[in-house]
Amino acid sequence: MSEKKKPGVLEGFKAFLTRGNVVDLAVAVVIGAAFTNIVNSVVKGIINPLVGAFGTKDLNQYSSCLKSPCEFDEATGTATSGIPIMWGTVLSATLTFLITAAVVYFLMVLPMSKYLARQAARQKAKEGTQEVMEVTELEVLKEIRDALVAQRGSGHSEN
């Protein structure tokens, strides 16, 4: 009996790394990190000033005090007394998420799904054409068979 050698850990790791989906995932993470910077800039440069027109200049400045008095150290921005709830930071992060999700959906997911639907429709139409051709060929072959059977049948009855 010959024993099959089990693949080594390094060989398995190499196979894992060379699969296409791992490389695609790595590219997606890098692009996602770069895209995050763009979205953060849009929120800080456009959204925050628009919201600031109705209140403070920065969403991160919106807060409520759970335990009064809330006082902040100007140099560090940390609370020196009281318990502040920084709901402006949460609002800013939520807006960043919504903008990111909208851009990803409208610029990546929606066009890709439309493209894939068109490709699937083309493939289905191509397969339908092949089925019609196969059915037509089958019908022709049946007709030839029937004609040959009829010829043989008529040939035997004359003898």
Side-chain angles (χ1 to χ4, degrees):
M1 266 193 221
S2 65
E3 292 183 25
K4 290 186 178 181
K5 189 176 180 182
K6 292 182 180 180
V9 174
L10 291 178
E11 290 174 8
F13 185 66
K14 180 181 174 185
F16 170 74
L17 288 179
T18 55
R19 284 194 302 202
N21 55 356
V22 173
V23 174
D24 292 343
L25 182 60
V27 169
V29 167
V30 170
I31 295 296
F35 186 70
T36 299
N37 289 334
I38 293 170
V39 172
N40 286 338
S41 297
V42 169
V43 169
K44 288 179 184 173
I46 297 172
I47 303 298
N48 284 353
L50 289 175
V51 173
F54 301 106
T56 63
K57 296 206 182 237
D58 187 8
L59 280 178
N60 294 328
Q61 298 300 317
Y62 287 105
S63 65
S64 297
C65 195
L66 188 63
K67 182 178 177 186
S68 295
C70 285
E71 295 177 7
F72 295 92
D73 183 9
E74 295 293 327
T76 62
T78 58
T80 56
S81 66
I83 302 174
I85 299 194
M86 307 299 288
W87 58 269
T89 306
V90 175
L91 180 62
S92 179
T94 303
L95 286 173
T96 302
F97 170 77
L98 291 174
I99 291 169
T100 304
V103 169
V104 167
Y105 180 76
F106 289 113
L107 295 182
M108 294 184 210
V109 173
L110 192 61
M112 183 57 80
S113 64
K114 287 183 179 181
Y115 171 76
L116 292 175
R118 281 196 308 264
Q119 290 294 94
R122 285 183 191 148
Q123 184 66 26
K124 193 172 184 179
K126 189 176 181 182
E127 289 173 0
T129 305
Q130 285 179 341
E131 279 183 22
V132 169
M133 288 174 48
E134 289 175 7
V135 169
T136 305
E137 289 174 6
L138 186 60
E139 292 296 322
V140 169
L141 289 173
K142 284 181 181 178
E143 289 175 12
I144 292 171
R145 180 199 64 199
D146 293 343
L148 288 172
V149 167
Q151 273 183 347
R152 285 185 190 159
S154 64
H156 288 299
S157 60
E158 291 176 1
N159 288 339

